């Protein structure tokens, strides 16, 4: 065990894991994080607290993760390289570990021009692969990036994201391999709608034996409306939403119910894909729907390990 | 070369307010090539200032001169006689040239006429693209001759981020190719794709601006005290 987190235990025991995203509010009020943590308790093995997602200023992922701990649910703290240099990232990792956070997701981060501080000076001192290298070195060698010894190492289960739908496609498996070699213990993918391309990517992953070295959690986003589907197809870079999905949403009498149905079908399918060890549900601003999805997908109750 | 573009005329005029004897000083190097601060642009801006002055009874006296290179003090010193008596110089050089001008003529206010953008190259007539971030530790041998520090919006060193689609950068898909997509295809052409597998460790940014203002010393090129004295006598 690297960190002994619940997520790590679930995955190591061979269960099909469930992680769920909780978006921190654009506010100093912690109540929405508390509310979601209470409401979703028991429906996932760990909960991702996003780090100023899409470069929008929000309650910090560190603070949100601590609020989750206070509510008795396990956080996955996201840490982007956009806003912090290696000094701040390492310091925050030590702080997170000291506060009891055991899962960290290493991300490069969305570019600041997408958010609400477009004129910000970005950092990008390191990229997500280098972040993994540094955090692994801290955990396993008790050394910071610069080489100095730590009195006590942080105990963290290290995650990273991967997008099978970005280009060049042929490089996406290599990029996963780089993340695994850099120290990723688990991977959460971009939301999958194009199952064919995902399968092709997974083939490459299995060919290189990467599914044996890292736990892959496949990302899903339940759709609320045809507008949301179109938005993701047209406006979100690195996402492929097939027309068949858009058609289904367009024709549906109850788009929300259809969105849930599609999501459950996707999870059922992903359960059968060799090398997929779990799902990561990103119900962006629709966290209330998660219990229904988890139950209907046959993933409730969560195993106790 | 250094790429720059002219500040809006309104801004230039605002920055010159309170001055009367103005010298518009151009530069024949990079900024002339990128059509921002060469002889022709100096002529246009000087004439615009004269017209503005006439229309607003400012009584501005606007002279113009273009030097070979404003970033080298020898060239800048040559215009001493023209500079004398002026109370402002509108430097139509890059930020380097404007600063050298201020160093050589410390008592005369130097006002920038250009916004200096980047180190780049002409792509086609009228379009210039950034190519180098001057980080002081070149990685082009690892990246198929394409700089990820300058040309990737996130300065990534280990491949494209999740936003790379159809060879375009998510930050400005219409105008900006994904540098890592270009690197991938360049390395593929060169038969060096294995370089994409290597993990490039965290960069040492000391050689970049993170180490403070940079200075390069080439010992063998520095003149001795005697040589300096002899050269001084010639000037």
């Amino acid at each position: 065990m690297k960190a002994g987190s619940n997520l790590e235990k679930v995955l190591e025991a061979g269960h099909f894991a469930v992680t769920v995203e909780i978006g921190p509010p654009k506010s100093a009020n912690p109540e929405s994080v508390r509310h979601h943590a209470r409401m979703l308790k028991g429906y996932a093995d760990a909960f991702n607290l996003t780090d100023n997602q899409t470069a929008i200023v929000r309650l910090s992922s560190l603070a949100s993760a601590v609020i989750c701990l206070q509510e008795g649910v396990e956080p996955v703290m996201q840490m982007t390289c956009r806003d912090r240099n290696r000094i701040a990232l390492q310091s925050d990792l030590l702080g997170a570990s000291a506060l009891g956070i055991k899962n960290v997701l290493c991300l490069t981060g969305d570019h600041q021009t997408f958010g609400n501080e477009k004129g910000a000076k970005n950092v990008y001192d390191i990229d997500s692969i280098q972040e993994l290298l540094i955090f692994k070195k801290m955990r396993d060698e008790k050394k910071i990036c610069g080489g100095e010894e730590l009195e006590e190492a942080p105990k963290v289960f290290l995650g990273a994201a991967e997008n099978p739908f970005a280009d060049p496609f042929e490089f996406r498996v290599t990029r996963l391999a780089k993340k695994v070699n850099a120290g990723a213990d688990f991977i959460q993918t971009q939301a999958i709608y194009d199952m064919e391309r995902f399968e092709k990517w997974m083939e490459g992953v299995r060919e290189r034996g990467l599914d044996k070295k890292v736990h892959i959690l496949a990302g899903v986003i339940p759709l609320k409306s045809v507008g949301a589907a179109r938005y993701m197809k047209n406006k979100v870079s690195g996402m492929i939403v097939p027309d068949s999905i858009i058609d289904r949403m367009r024709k549906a009498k109850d788009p929300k119910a259809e969105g849930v149905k599609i999501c459950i079908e996707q999870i059922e399918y992903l359960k059968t894909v060799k090398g997929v060890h779990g799902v990561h549900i990103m119900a962006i601003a629709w966290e209330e729907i998660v219990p229904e999805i988890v139950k209907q997908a046959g993933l409730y109750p969560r195993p106790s390990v | 070369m250094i790429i720059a573009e002219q500040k809006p005329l309104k801004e230039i005029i605002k920055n010159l307010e309170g001055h009367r004897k103005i010298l518009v000083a151009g530069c024949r190097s990079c900024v002339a090539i990128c059509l921002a601060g060469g002889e022709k642009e100096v002529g246009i801006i000087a004439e615009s200032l004269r017209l503005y002055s006439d229309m607003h009874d400012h009584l501005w006296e606007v002279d113009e001169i273009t030097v070979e290179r404003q970033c080298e003090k020898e060239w800048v010193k040559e215009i001493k006689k023209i500079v004398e008596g002026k109370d402002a110089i509108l430097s139509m050089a890059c930020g380097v040239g404007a600063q050298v001008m201020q160093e050589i003529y410390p008592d005369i206010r130097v006002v920038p006429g250009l916004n200096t953008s980047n180190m780049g190259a002409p792509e086609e007539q009228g379009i210039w693209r950034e190519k180098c971030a001057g980080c002081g530790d070149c990685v082009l041998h690892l990246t198929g001759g394409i700089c990820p520090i300058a040309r990737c919006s996130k300065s990534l060193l280990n491949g494209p981020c999740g936003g790379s689609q159809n060879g375009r950068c998510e930050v400005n898909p219409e105008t900006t190719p994904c540098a890592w997509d270009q690197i991938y295809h360049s390395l593929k052409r060169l038969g060096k794709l294995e370089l994409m597998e290597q993990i490039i460790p965290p960069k040492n940014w000391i050689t970049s601006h993170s180490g403070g203002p940079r200075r390069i010393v080439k010992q063998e090129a520095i003149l001795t005290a005697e040589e300096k004295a002899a050269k001084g006598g010639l000037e």
Side-chain angles (χ1 to χ4, degrees):
Chain A
M1 283 286 152
K2 284 161 177 163
S5 73
N6 184 56
L7 178 62
E8 183 180 9
K9 286 180 194 161
V10 166
L11 285 166
E12 289 299 317
H15 298 292
F16 194 79
V18 177
T19 53
V20 167
E21 209 156 274
I22 295 177
K26 290 199 261 183
S27 153
N29 187 341
E31 278 317 307
S32 73
V33 179
R34 274 193 208 291
H35 163 73
H36 287 133
R38 280 178 202 149
M39 180 194 81
L40 296 171
K41 192 173 181 175
Y43 288 99
D45 307 309
F47 295 85
N48 283 50
L49 288 312
T50 53
D51 182 7
N52 298 308
Q53 196 175 6
T54 60
I56 303 270
V57 177
R58 291 175 181 276
L59 190 69
S60 74
S61 58
L62 175 56
S64 303
V66 171
I67 294 164
C68 282
L69 284 174
Q70 290 168 353
E71 294 300 329
V73 305
E74 182 171 290
V76 176
M77 177 178 148
Q78 298 195 354
M79 293 179 85
T80 72
C81 300
R82 175 192 57 232
D83 311 319
R84 311 175 185 86
N85 69 3
R86 68 193 75 175
I87 299 172
L89 283 165
Q90 292 180 98
S91 162
D92 282 353
L93 183 74
L94 294 176
S97 183
L99 289 165
I101 294 160
K102 293 177 179 172
N103 308 299
V104 168
L105 193 79
C106 298
L107 301 164
T108 295
D110 295 316
H111 199 267
Q112 72 278 3
T113 50
F114 292 105
N116 57 1
E117 289 291 359
K118 296 183 196 306
K121 184 177 183 186
N122 65 25
V123 183
Y124 295 122
D125 169 22
I126 55 172
D127 60 33
S128 56
I129 289 176
Q130 295 163 341
E131 185 184 13
L132 284 164
L133 270 186
I134 293 172
F135 287 1
K136 184 179 159 69
K137 183 172 170 176
M138 290 172 83
R139 181 189 67 194
D140 298 348
E141 297 173 39
K142 265 176 80 174
K143 280 181 184 162
I144 65 163
C145 176
E148 202 174 306
E149 193 117 0
L150 285 165
E151 248 178 60
E152 192 167 321
K155 289 180 187 63
V156 278
F157 193 48
L158 292 174
E162 190 47 63
N163 184 0
F165 309 103
D167 290 319
F169 178 69
E170 314 89 86
F171 178 67
R172 299 322 297 195
V173 174
T174 308
R175 183 146 166 93
L176 175 73
K178 285 180 86 160
K179 290 194 172 180
V180 173
N181 289 336
D185 302 309
F186 67 99
I187 295 288
Q188 291 172 329
T189 78
Q190 172 67 286
I192 304 156
Y193 292 105
D194 183 345
M195 287 295 165
E196 215 173 294
R197 183 147 162 175
F198 178 69
E199 271 282 22
K200 213 170 141 200
W201 181 74
M202 278 305 297
E203 253 172 52
V205 169
R206 288 191 298 264
E207 263 168 38
R208 288 185 71 145
L210 294 170
D211 57 317
K212 302 271 190 305
K213 292 182 183 165
V214 73
H215 299 289
I216 294 170
L217 310 184
V220 291
I221 298 180
L223 291 166
K224 243 181 176 175
S225 64
V226 66
R230 285 202 187 110
Y231 179 81
M232 277 194 260
K233 179 190 167 86
N234 300 323
K235 300 276 181 200
V236 182
S237 306
M239 274 203 82
I240 299 176
V241 184
D243 289 337
S244 57
I245 299 265
I246 291 175
D247 269 359
R248 268 183 75 176
M249 289 302 289
R250 188 169 50 84
K251 286 178 188 152
K253 279 192 190 130
D254 181 349
K256 282 184 175 180
E258 190 68 13
V260 170
K261 203 173 157 213
I262 293 171
C263 187
I264 290 158
E265 282 170 26
Q266 286 168 334
I267 295 173
E268 290 291 357
Y269 179 75
L270 290 164
K271 280 201 245 174
T272 68
V273 177
K274 197 170 167 257
V276 172
H277 303 171
V279 280
H280 175 51
I281 306 170
M282 296 167 273
I284 303 155
W286 197 20
E287 283 92 344
E288 279 67 21
I289 199 64
V290 170
E292 193 182 327
I293 293 171
V294 175
K295 275 188 202 158
Q296 287 195 38
L299 294 169
Y300 187 81
R302 299 306 309 145
S304 90
V305 283
Chain B
M1 62 187 258
I2 291 180
I3 313 294
E5 64 181 346
Q6 264 179 42
K7 281 182 179 287
L9 188 62
K10 260 190 184 171
E11 189 186 336
I12 291 176
I13 287 168
K14 188 169 170 275
N15 292 343
L16 283 170
E17 257 158 28
H19 298 289
R20 260 197 74 194
K21 294 182 175 179
I22 297 159
L23 177 66
V24 182
C27 178
R28 280 201 187 87
S29 291
C30 318
V31 294
I33 298 166
C34 66
L35 310 177
E39 207 148 10
K40 195 173 143 199
E41 292 76 28
V42 164
I44 295 168
I45 207 103
E47 198 51 33
S48 307
L49 294 176
R50 286 181 201 115
L51 279 171
Y52 176 83
S53 173
D54 288 349
M55 287 163 68
H56 295 83
D57 298 325
H58 272 14
L59 302 175
W60 281 356
E61 288 171 29
V62 181
D63 283 332
E64 55 191 271
I65 185 84
T66 300
V67 301
E68 204 56 37
R69 274 200 288 282
Q70 263 188 51
C71 57
E72 289 187 61
K73 54 187 176 189
E74 287 76 7
W75 296 107
V76 175
K77 279 179 182 169
E78 281 190 353
I79 58 166
K80 194 171 175 207
K81 287 218 168 82
I82 302 159
V83 171
E84 270 170 7
K86 301 286 185 292
D87 56 16
I89 300 170
L90 177 68
S91 170
M92 299 296 287
C94 69
V96 182
Q99 290 185 59
V100 171
M101 187 68 85
Q102 186 70 82
E103 274 167 40
I104 302 302
Y105 303 110
D107 301 325
I108 300 170
R109 184 151 180 252
V110 174
V111 173
L114 305 186
N115 288 321
T116 306
S117 175
N118 62 75
M119 282 185 275
E123 190 167 271
E124 59 176 273
Q125 178 96 21
I127 300 176
W128 293 268
R129 192 182 286 286
E130 182 165 18
K131 299 273 187 197
C132 172
C135 73
D137 183 17
C138 198
V139 295
L140 289 174
H141 57 297
L142 299 174
T143 57
I146 292 149
C147 176
I149 304 297
R151 294 168 68 177
C152 164
S153 299
K154 298 177 181 175
S155 294
L156 301 184
L157 276 167
N158 283 291
C161 74
S164 168
Q165 215 159 26
N166 303 318
R168 311 305 292 175
C169 170
E170 64 176 346
V171 177
N172 292 300
E174 286 80 29
T175 57
T176 311
C178 166
W180 274 102
D181 191 79
Q182 293 183 313
I183 291 168
Y184 176 81
H185 291 291
S186 176
L187 289 174
K188 199 172 176 182
R189 273 190 301 275
L190 296 167
K192 289 273 175 203
L193 260 187
E194 73 275 7
L195 288 172
M196 290 283 282
E197 302 255 345
Q198 276 182 28
I199 293 178
I200 300 182
K203 189 174 172 67
N204 177 6
W205 292 103
I206 282 181
T207 54
S208 176
H209 190 68
S210 296
R214 290 161 281 176
R215 190 171 86 120
I216 285 177
V217 179
K218 196 157 191 176
Q219 207 58 49
E220 65 274 24
I222 296 174
L223 300 180
T224 62
E226 294 79 37
E227 285 167 331
K228 274 181 191 167
K231 194 178 173 223
L234 290 173
E235 275 177 357

